[in-house]
Amino acid sequence: MTLNEIYQAETCPPKTQWIPELIAASREKIDNFVASENTQGWFLNGVFHHRVDNDDKVYQSIFQHPNCPPRLIAIAQRFKPEWIVDSPALALIQLGMLDPDGKKEWETTKSSLAHKELAMFIYSGLFQQERRYILNHYTYDKDHFDEILVLCANRNRYQEYRQGLMRNLFALTPSFIFDAFAEEAKTPISLAAFQPIQALANRLAAMKVTELEFVAQRDDLTVEIQHFLASHRSVKVKKRLLENKWADETVLLQLAQDLNAKVAEMAKKKLSKERLSELNQALTTTALNNKLDDKALLDLLRIEAVSTQALLEIATTAEPLWCCAATLHKSATQEVFNAVWQREDLPNWAKIGIALHTQDAAQIDALIATGNKDLWFALSDNPNLSAAQAETLIVKSKDEVIWCGIANSFIDNHEVLNIILNQRGKKVLWQKHLKMLLDPDTSSKDVVKIQGKTNPHGIVFSRLMARHARCPINFIIRLAAYFPQDTKLNTKYVLKLQEDPESAQAEQYSTGKIENLLMTGEGYSFVYEWVLENLTDERDIRRCISVPRLNPNKVRHLAISADDQTLRRFVATSARKYSFYEYRMLATIGNATTLKSLIKSEYIDNDSLKELLEHNDSSVKTYALKLAKKRKLNVNTTTAVKKHPRQNSLGNKPERVELAKETSDLALLTILASDKTRDVREQVTNNKNVSPELLLLLVADKDDLITLYALKNLKELTLSKSENERLQQVIKDIFVDDNRAERLRVEAAKVIDDGILLASQFINGASDLDKIILAKSNCSEFLDKAFFAAQRGDVNIHYPSLASNKHLNPLHVNQLINSKDIQVRKNIACNQRLDNDQILRLCHDREFIVYNLASSEHLDLNCLPTWALCKAYHYTNWGTVRERVAQVLELRGIKSHKIIMTLPNLLKLFDLKMTVKNFNKKLLENGLVEITNMAHHSVKPISRERFANEAYLYGHDSDVPGNMFTPLYYPHSFAELLTLLEIEVKEPMS
């Protein structure tokens, strides 16, 4: 089927039969089809949506065609109305709008094309009816994946589908639509994400960082573009590129040598082992051939497979801090330990790596003799510790944490374990539990108790439980997954495995459980050690650092990490205390946020603290000075902090956000108020020390959210006349700008004092903004028009909003007071000036209406009848209204406990020998109660019974939940009610 055979057909053939030929047809042929009066609308629609070579001439010809589809006319009416001035298709649409159904259909078509953002308009509006075909039949980049057949056929590739589809839609979108959305805030990002890559490449240099971040995530980037992004100054752009799985290996090599340590670290993790080995060798050679400054040393130490030669160079020439880091490196050998040991300038804290790994018995003996607990703790995990050395360490340390490490290393040496059990002077539950687990006769019940109550710092308890024959089988199965060698020694488990291997199969914790234990830090020690050994996700590994049950010896080597979040975990509030080395390293390489966390923890030493008083970040200086004063260090406070800081000296984004949140320095807040980052400015608006002057500055911010926060905070302040005039001018500009967010314009409308300006922005009454205008405007002409429209049946006019307008005339109030809408009557009671008849009308209304009447600022409570005051009093249990009402009633001789009472109490008060049942019958006989449930009316009133209108003088019905089954009465008018019921009245008892 050819195009010549079908373009005049009344019904559209299946798209697969003609769109491929339409796409391949020559431009001349397409122009002839569009020029023909017999071409059908569905064919014109195909030309509009599927040809990439269309220009303005083609689009104008389509819009002027008599068969142009209404949807295309709607597009032209929105973006190019001058192109359809004499369009026959538009004339037909206008004729059809004379019919209500035709008008409704046209309005529906236009509303489906009303999206305000470019990407959403293209996806959900422009190609709403065509995108399925485009998705299913257009071919995307062959290097990545072939033709897409079904959307989301593979959920893991949804993002690829989305990118491919959106790129095709953008390629087919007319240029005049891009022009129309050019000023829309999100358009640059949409173009960065989906514009054809050829067009994008020509304007990369002019793009902002936020746009380049989206470019870096695309799956169709050329190698040239990737290298451009890898050379960009923004770390964010580079990180986004590293997250892109299509990044070329040459680009990864470039990023692996980036000056930013975090970027370089991320890139190295993505390199193949061969390339990484080559890179590390090259970096090591370069570093050793040059002067080893602190940065070069750190770069060397961060190489995962650094050479022994490099570590020896550090061990013999570097400062103690870097020597210690070299001994903790995974590539460190005994040769490195020996080289470090020979140095005489090495303090004890720098020997912690030697204590953990050395094989030299003499070195171990010397380290034991130092008496340093951090070294002893490291030695407890040294696999080269002899039994004799372990015994010495047990006796000297008298520390159960150190004993725990030794017990784990010597779990099969009963002599060493007995030495631990026989230690005196350290009466701890730990020893008792250890003894019980070593005893094969310990009951299963006691083993379970130990399992639940012991919080060991090491894994020896878990290993002993895995070996114990009376350990619950469900826990043994769990332990078997982590300690297979230990569970092989458990006779009960071995037997179970032989009898029923399926039910005794080792079972690890689920991924969800591991995630939960990492978040809470409440798991067994072995869980976190397993995570460190088996998982590669940096997020999981760094969370282990701050777990209080983790053995610190397992993560000391991470103190040189390039990841700032990893470093901050060492000083998290939940973390165990680490050694001097870790905190000294953090003070040396940490960023401003890490340094402030270190200072807050107070683990920093005095020398490091004094150094931080000269830090180039003023917020770090402030923290350091505060702690220095607390420690009574001799520091020069006059030069510790700059008097006039600059924005670029206030740290990175997280640091500036924290500073904006906490500082009380107006000079700093003034600088931060003009920060380029929205999060920083947002924290300034919420800072309790911010001045009205700064808030007025932030109200004029271009970001809607910042303006909204600043405006809300300003409304809580008392402004001077000049400040209020400035505020009015700014918010009026915001209010009339329909490009600003509606919720911002709503908040602005609440503050504006110009009723005519408010009325000028009214549309139809349906929006939240229109409701505020109805409630606030003092323009009498506008209010009259609104009432007239409402009376004519305009359902969009919001009556409750009108009722709350304090500028209504008496005629308006009379119209509204009889409304069936409870909210309308409530707003009338709260906000309007009422005459006596209107007040009495509302007094007979529901309880909460009377309460709102009593809370009105226009009403004198003394004009309310006593029974109405009683209703208002009882409607709420607290508040100033209740207190004011109680005062007025007390002046009338009614104490608070006599304002309202239940019927049984009133019958007693008036000394009536009458049951509740008989009294209710009297009410019913006299028409004062409306019974709707005849089955129970003879017993007592229930929730569906209501007082008649005249009974409001004597009490109220059961609207209050607490009194659902017992109507309440007013003692002051109860005598009058009794007279009405022809019951003899007596004086009430006191």
Side-chain angles (χ1 to χ4, degrees), residues 807-826:
H807 306 288
L808 299 183
N809 61 40
L811 182 61
H812 296 153
V813 174
N814 275 331
Q815 290 177 358
L816 292 172
I817 201 167
N818 296 314
S819 171
K820 294 181 180 180
D821 189 331
I822 296 173
Q823 188 63 41
V824 171
R825 304 200 305 274
K826 172 184 172 183

Side-chain angles (χ1 to χ4, degrees), residues 3-11 36-40 42-43:
L3 295 180
N4 290 324
E5 295 172 340
I6 66 168
Y7 78 99
Q8 298 182 18
E10 292 185 3
T11 58
S36 172
E37 292 186 359
N38 297 321
T39 302
Q40 294 297 312
W42 57 263
F43 191 89

Side-chain angles (χ1 to χ4, degrees), residues 626-693:
K626 186 176 180 180
L627 182 58
K629 288 180 178 179
K630 182 177 180 180
R631 292 183 178 179
K632 298 181 180 179
L633 299 180
N634 185 20
V635 295
N636 184 359
T637 59
T638 59
T639 60
V641 182
K642 287 183 181 179
K643 292 183 179 179
H644 302 288
R646 297 171 301 172
Q647 183 171 317
N648 59 7
S649 70
L650 299 180
N652 58 23
K653 174 185 169 181
E655 294 160 357
R656 299 199 308 277
V657 168
E658 188 173 353
L659 185 62
K661 188 188 303 183
E662 297 181 355
T663 187
S664 58
D665 189 330
L666 283 178
L668 282 176
L669 286 172
T670 303
I671 294 171
L672 294 168
S674 58
D675 194 282
K676 63 181 180 180
T677 305
R678 187 183 78 173
D679 292 350
V680 176
R681 304 197 305 278
E682 179 184 334
Q683 291 304 327
V684 173
T685 64
N686 294 323
N687 189 306
K688 62 182 180 180
N689 300 301
V690 69
S691 65
E693 184 69 25

Side-chain angles (χ1 to χ4, degrees), residues 486-510:
D486 290 299
T487 49
K488 285 180 181 179
L489 303 175
N490 189 318
T491 54
K492 178 181 178 182
Y493 178 69
V494 171
L495 184 61
K496 179 75 174 177
L497 204 57
Q498 292 173 353
E499 293 174 349
D500 189 0
E502 187 173 340
S503 64
Q505 192 69 33
E507 182 181 341
Q508 287 186 350
Y509 284 115
S510 66

